[in-house]
Amino acid sequence: MSTEVLTMEHAQQLLQKYYGYPDFREGQRRIVESVLTGADTLGIMPTGGGKSICYQIPALMLPGLTLVVSPLISLMKDQVDALTAMGVSAAYINSTLSGKEVNDRIRAARRGEIKLLYVAPERLELDWFREEMSGLTISCVAVDEAHCVSQWGHDFRTSYLAVSPFVESLPQRPILAAFTATATPEVMDDMVRLLRLADPAVFVTGLGRDNLAMSVLRGENKREFVLNYANTHAHQPGIVYAATRKEVDDLYERLRRAGIPAGRYHAGLSDKEREESQEAFLYDDIRVMVATNAFGMGIDKSNVRYVIHYNMPKNMEAYVQEAGRAGRDGEPSECILLFSPQDIMTQKFLIEQNPQEGDRKRNEYRKLQQMIEYCYQTSCLRWAMLDYFGEAHDHKPCGICSSCRDERELVDMTRDAQIVFSCIHRMRERFGVSLVASVLKGSQNKKVLQYGFDALPTYGMLRTRTEKEISELINVFIAEGYLALSEGQYPVVRLQPLAVEVLKSRHQVMMRAPEPSAPSKSSSGSRRRGYDEGPSAVNETVFEQLRLIRRDLAEKEHVPSYIIFNDATLREMSVVCPTHEADMLRIKGVGEVKYRKYGKPFLEFFQNME
């Protein structure tokens, strides 16, 4: 093929011809262009961002064969089926084929009848396979799920280390293109180093997908929540992830008994059961898939409207990949994480069951702690996610995550913070969250008395709260950067420089008013969205009109709605109906500065009602 046809104009024609898209998505164009110029390329794109097109289009334009390294048999099959349906010559070689079928496909590749050949990374380690491939013209090796090459990633797979030796063994070095949906800076460095990418062009397409509403809900009755949610979204496909097979089976049975068409997927089922369940979900014969993290990689179902995590995942990489399976078609979708402290113990147990040692295990505990901090995050969840992956962003709140939708008032928590920080200091920063909470509660447990902590000035200073509430408060302080935990199975809580500033009264701690730890009502949308109940005489029509005014202001200011006025303030307005500045200033949550900045449209609304 001549170089004249290796143009983006031709690439776009192929995109229209084979895929039916008039243009490339964000990020795709630059990656395709990079590969076509012959540069080694690393593409970090969100799940559903169209990574496969970035090597499939160049494969149609480059001479010879593009070899695709893919981690799962199901993923290979889905990709090849899709390409074949579009009229693209593609095949896979994996353990499901007989020796004759493998040889037939290699001969077809040798004759130039196949443009894309998918193989598992383990095959690259086989001498006979290397010898066969050395006789082919391979223009490009595309490595899918390339994060698997890094031991710091969440899916480390030693066979991925065979990619670089394989590439080097070929008579002529092909273009090397690597792709993944999630990678921290250290994993990105590993991909470049371990795959031996030569001066690669690196492209990171925004991981923060605007159509996904991320939520972390604490204190929910999880079973009740899942049953209610699946029932009220009965016509929408969704995935519910649970940490253990036992929980998957339990949820599956409860959904079925409730009359909700559901499937299940975990490693304890037979291949036939898993395949049947997966097919039923892909073809919408069932609406809900309950699964462990064994399900999902390479499942290209675009209309998943929600992903619920019944348990906290082990790390942010896993969470972003799994949650990212919602809304691949760009339509609004929900990603809900149901968190409880028991999840921490479950994940620690799973880490301890893994035979890994040393740095690898410490890294797992570090990533787990970062996941815990995400669950206690009070600022924008999209910010937290992008910060974790080292992606630059404009620091505008997303406006749709559970933190941005939380309209509880900001209250001054400086005094409580000083009590907590002082207690940790007096305990010499040598103990974990639970024991600190016990001391602050005034517990008489054996360990508190053994260390003489009942004699500390801070002993029992938060006795009006439950130990669970105190632990939650400490975890929020950790998430907000006032405190930090050491790494390992039994982390110790320590003061950060910001906490010292609080103790010296140089920094004020403003936080959302804590929620009571009463049993939750999972069916209550108002509680889940963080709405306050407000006065009983609320005029709902007026209240909704005030919310529209607030929304317009929030959009103009590029801030979440609660920054303007929270729901409790709007509800009180709808009861009082203020028509003068003095009336408005008497409403809780208005204040002079806010009145000057935001009050006029609301006042005009009530004046026009007269």
Side-chain angles (χ1 to χ4, degrees):
M1 184 174 291
S2 65
T3 56
E4 285 80 24
V5 296
L6 296 182
T7 64
M8 287 308 297
E9 182 182 358
H10 185 216
Q12 196 158 316
Q13 290 169 356
L14 293 174
L15 183 70
Q16 178 67 56
K17 176 182 176 181
Y18 289 107
Y19 297 83
Y21 301 143
D23 206 349
F24 291 99
R25 291 186 191 176
E26 179 192 356
Q28 287 179 330
R29 173 175 291 277
R30 291 180 300 151
I31 293 174
V32 169
E33 197 166 18
S34 173
V35 175
L36 290 178
T37 61
D40 280 5
T41 304
L42 175 60
I44 316 292
M45 303 175 74
T47 302
K51 293 185 291 295
S52 57
I53 280 177
C54 294
Y55 59 80
Q56 289 172 358
I57 289 290
L60 296 173
M61 302 172 67
L62 294 166
L65 180 73
T66 290
L67 192 71
V68 184
V69 180
S70 182
L72 293 175
I73 289 173
S74 61
L75 179 52
M76 292 183 206
K77 185 177 184 304
D78 287 348
Q79 293 272 352
V80 170
D81 287 349
L83 286 166
T84 303
M86 290 188 292
V88 175
S89 56
Y92 57 79
I93 292 177
N94 59 38
S95 58
T96 66
L97 302 180
S98 66
K100 181 180 182 301
E101 288 173 314
V102 170
N103 289 330
D104 286 346
R105 294 184 183 196
I106 291 175
R107 280 195 291 270
R110 194 175 290 131
R111 292 192 299 267
E113 296 171 5
I114 294 174
K115 291 301 293 179
L116 292 110
L117 181 63
Y118 287 74
V119 298
E122 287 79 8
R123 198 158 292 268
L124 305 183
E125 299 172 300
L126 303 175
D127 290 339
W128 73 264
F129 184 77
R130 289 190 185 192
E131 189 174 335
E132 290 287 353
M133 291 299 103
S134 67
L136 302 177
T137 300
I138 298 177
S139 294
C140 179
V141 173
V143 185
D144 202 7
E145 307 295 345
H147 64 272
C148 294
V149 77
S150 172
Q151 69 166 325
W152 306 120
H154 61 291
D155 285 321
F156 178 51
R157 191 157 158 176
T158 55
S159 54
Y160 266 73
L161 296 171
V163 172
S164 176
F166 169 80
V167 169
E168 298 299 331
S169 74
L170 295 172
Q172 187 170 348
R173 189 184 187 279
I175 301 161
L176 192 53
F179 301 90
T180 187
T182 54
T184 60
E186 62 186 356
V187 172
M188 287 176 64
D189 289 343
D190 266 5
M191 287 189 289
V192 172
R193 180 173 59 86
L194 297 172
L195 294 174
R196 295 184 197 165
L197 298 174
D199 193 20
V202 179
F203 301 94
V204 180
T205 301
L207 295 172
R209 289 164 56 196
D210 294 341
N211 65 313
L212 299 186
M214 316 292 286
S215 297
V216 176
L217 306 181
R218 301 194 294 269
E220 295 284 340
N221 179 322
K222 294 187 179 188
R223 285 176 182 161
E224 182 186 329
F225 180 91
V226 170
L227 287 170
N228 286 343
Y229 192 97
N231 191 47
T232 56
H233 296 76
H235 300 296
Q236 296 179 331
I239 302 172
V240 180
Y241 281 109
T244 65
R245 299 176 190 180
K246 182 179 178 182
E247 284 171 321
V248 168
D249 291 338
D250 177 68
L251 280 172
Y252 166 76
E253 294 296 342
R254 288 173 186 273
L255 288 165
R256 300 277 286 190
R257 284 199 298 270
I260 298 168
R264 60 179 167 172
Y265 192 106
H266 60 66
L269 302 174
S270 68
D271 291 344
K272 184 172 184 293
E273 285 177 299
R274 288 199 301 273
E275 187 175 335
E276 287 176 351
S277 195
Q278 182 170 302
E279 288 291 307
F281 181 66
L282 290 175
Y283 291 100
D284 289 333
D285 295 329
I286 57 174
R287 290 293 179 178
V288 186
M289 177 67 85
V290 189
T292 61
N293 60 8
F295 175 78
M297 187 181 283
I299 302 303
D300 193 13
K301 184 175 174 65
S302 65
N303 66 333
V304 174
R305 289 278 73 88
Y306 64 88
V307 171
I308 296 174
H309 278 80
Y310 192 74
N311 311 100
M312 175 189 66
K314 62 180 180 178
N315 55 47
M316 277 293 289
E317 289 95 330
Y319 178 59
V320 170
Q321 282 225 339
E322 289 158 14
R325 288 167 190 145
R328 296 181 67 148
D329 55 6
E331 291 297 304
S333 305
E334 282 209 273
C335 305
I336 301 168
L337 198 169
L338 304 176
F339 173 76
S340 69
Q342 181 58 40
D343 295 341
I344 301 172
M345 304 310 297
T346 300
Q347 291 298 344
K348 285 186 175 181
F349 172 78
L350 294 174
I351 290 172
E352 287 303 311
Q353 296 307 297
N354 198 311
Q356 62 201 359
E357 294 294 339
D359 289 346
R360 178 92 174 132
K361 180 170 284 190
R362 281 191 290 274
N363 187 55
E364 290 296 312
Y365 276 116
R366 179 172 61 84
K367 286 179 177 288
L368 174 60
Q369 180 54 39
Q370 290 168 318
M371 191 69 231
I372 295 166
E373 289 173 20
Y374 176 84
C375 291
Y376 282 103
Q377 188 66 241
T378 59
S379 58
C380 178
L381 295 178
R382 187 174 295 170
W383 287 4
M385 182 187 74
L386 295 177
D387 287 343
Y388 178 86
F389 290 105
E391 185 173 333
H393 55 91
D394 58 12
H395 290 87
K396 289 182 181 176
C398 72
I400 59 172
C401 74
S402 55
S403 291
C404 288
R405 292 194 311 254
D406 187 349
E407 292 170 335
R408 291 172 296 155
E409 281 206 80
L410 285 171
V411 295
D412 189 343
M413 299 287 288
T414 305
R415 179 62 181 152
D416 284 350
Q418 288 174 328
I419 291 170
V420 171
F421 303 161
S422 176
C423 187
I424 293 166
H425 174 69
R426 291 172 188 279
M427 293 171 71
R428 299 183 183 277
E429 303 179 56
R430 291 174 50 210
F431 300 91
V433 172
S434 296
L435 191 61
V436 174
S438 295
V439 174
L440 289 165
K441 173 65 180 173
S443 168
Q444 291 280 310
N445 76 36
K446 183 179 177 182
K447 205 166 184 182
V448 170
L449 300 178
Q450 174 189 334
Y451 285 104
F453 290 148
D454 54 329
L456 293 179
T458 49
Y459 177 75
M461 285 190 75
L462 295 181
R463 61 171 52 87
T464 58
R465 300 189 182 195
T466 66
E467 283 192 43
K468 180 186 174 188
E469 287 172 339
I470 298 169
S471 293
E472 294 252 320
L473 182 62
I474 295 170
N475 278 302
V476 171
F477 288 143
I478 293 167
E480 293 294 308
Y482 294 99
L483 303 172
L485 286 179
S486 62
E487 295 177 10
Q489 188 176 5
Y490 303 106
V492 169
V493 62
R494 292 177 177 145
L495 301 177
Q496 293 296 93
L498 195 57
V500 177
E501 293 297 296
V502 174
L503 285 171
K504 293 179 178 178
S505 298
R506 294 175 184 166
H507 181 85
Q508 188 179 22
V509 180
M510 299 297 293
M511 290 171 51
R512 303 272 165 232
E515 291 183 291
S517 57
S520 65
K521 305 290 185 189
S522 294
S523 59
S524 168
S526 64
R527 181 194 178 279
R528 189 160 67 85
R529 298 300 186 196
Y531 298 151
D532 301 309
E533 290 303 316
S536 58
V538 168
N539 182 323
E540 291 296 336
T541 303
V542 171
F543 175 63
E544 287 304 319
Q545 289 174 307
L546 296 177
R547 282 168 61 91
L548 289 174
I549 295 170
R550 181 181 64 179
R551 187 184 67 185
D552 289 342
L553 283 170
E555 287 176 356
K556 287 174 186 172
E557 295 283 325
H558 300 292
V559 296
S561 294
Y562 69 79
I563 296 292
I564 310 298
F565 293 123
N566 66 28
D567 270 19
T569 300
L570 296 193
R571 288 179 187 279
E572 189 174 341
M573 275 189 206
S574 72
V575 174
V576 175
C577 298
T579 55
H580 296 90
E581 179 181 341
D583 299 331
M584 182 75 90
L585 288 171
R586 278 195 285 269
I587 292 172
K588 290 178 183 176
V590 175
E592 291 183 15
V593 174
K594 280 199 173 183
Y595 172 76
R596 286 199 301 272
K597 197 168 184 181
Y598 307 122
K600 187 177 178 183
F602 295 95
L603 201 60
E604 288 176 348
F605 168 77
F606 288 114
Q607 288 169 344
N608 291 332
M609 282 178 60
E610 290 187 319

